[in-house]
Amino acid sequence: IANRRAFDRAIEEARGRATVLIIDTDKFKQINDTRGHAAGDAALCAIAAALGAQVREEDLIARLGGDEFGALLPGIGSATGAEVARRMVRAVRDLPDCPATVSIGVADGPALELAKTLIRADAAMYQVKRSGGDGVEVCGPGAAVRAA
C-alpha cells in the first residue's frame, strides 16, 4: 500500500468531491506486547490487505504511520464511504488469529477543502476510539454522527 507522502500528495491533487477515511488499529499494542514485533508486523500486513480488498481500483489506501491508515475515495459521498468503512471493520474482525479491530472516521468534502475534511475524519475516528473502538463514525459538515 501507499505511504504517508503518497497519501498527502493524493489529497493535494484530488479533484471534485471525495471521502476520506482515517483508520486506527485497536489493540495493536497488545499484539506487540504478547506476541512480539514480528507478529505485529504480520498483523499490519494482514490488516492492510483486508482494508485494501474493500476499495475500488481508483481509491487509495495508505499507511500513515505506526498502526494508522488512511483512505481517499474520490467521487463518492460519506454514505457510500461509511459502507466501505463498515466492510473494512468486518474484514479486519474476520482476520484469523488477529485480535485487532479498527476504528474508522469518515468525512467527505470538495477537493479544495480536503485538508479540513481530513481533520474532521480524524476527529470522527477519535470519537469511535472513545466509544470503545471497533466501529465507524461519520462526520458531516457540522457534528459527528454514530454510523456503526
Side-chain angles (χ1 to χ4, degrees):
I1 64 171
N3 63 18
R4 178 66 186 241
R5 183 177 296 147
F7 185 76
D8 290 344
R9 189 176 321 117
I11 292 286
E12 290 174 9
E13 296 173 356
R15 303 286 180 257
R17 276 192 93 70
T19 292
V20 176
L21 310 180
I22 297 297
I23 307 153
D24 192 63
T25 306
D26 307 316
K27 305 176 199 157
F28 183 70
K29 184 175 177 355
Q30 171 188 335
I31 296 170
N32 275 340
D33 290 351
T34 61
R35 299 180 184 185
H37 291 283
D41 290 346
L44 283 177
C45 290
I47 291 166
L51 298 173
Q54 306 310 311
V55 297
R56 307 168 300 176
E57 188 173 318
E58 62 268 29
D59 298 333
L60 176 70
I61 297 281
R63 183 173 175 204
L64 302 182
D67 61 347
E68 187 174 64
F69 299 88
L72 178 63
L73 313 175
I76 66 169
S78 59
T80 303
E83 182 50 42
V84 170
R86 285 189 287 273
R87 287 196 318 259
M88 289 175 166
V89 167
R90 288 189 299 271
V92 172
R93 276 185 203 149
D94 291 344
L95 288 172
D97 197 34
C98 182
T101 58
V102 290
S103 296
I104 304 178
V106 179
D108 75 319
L112 293 175
E113 295 181 9
L114 283 182
K116 291 178 184 175
T117 303
L118 188 61
I119 292 167
R120 291 189 299 112
D122 196 54
M125 181 273 297
Y126 278 109
Q127 183 62 36
V128 176
K129 297 291 260 188
R130 284 189 293 275
S131 299
D134 191 29
V136 175
E137 187 87 18
V138 178
C139 184
V145 179
R146 186 76 176 163

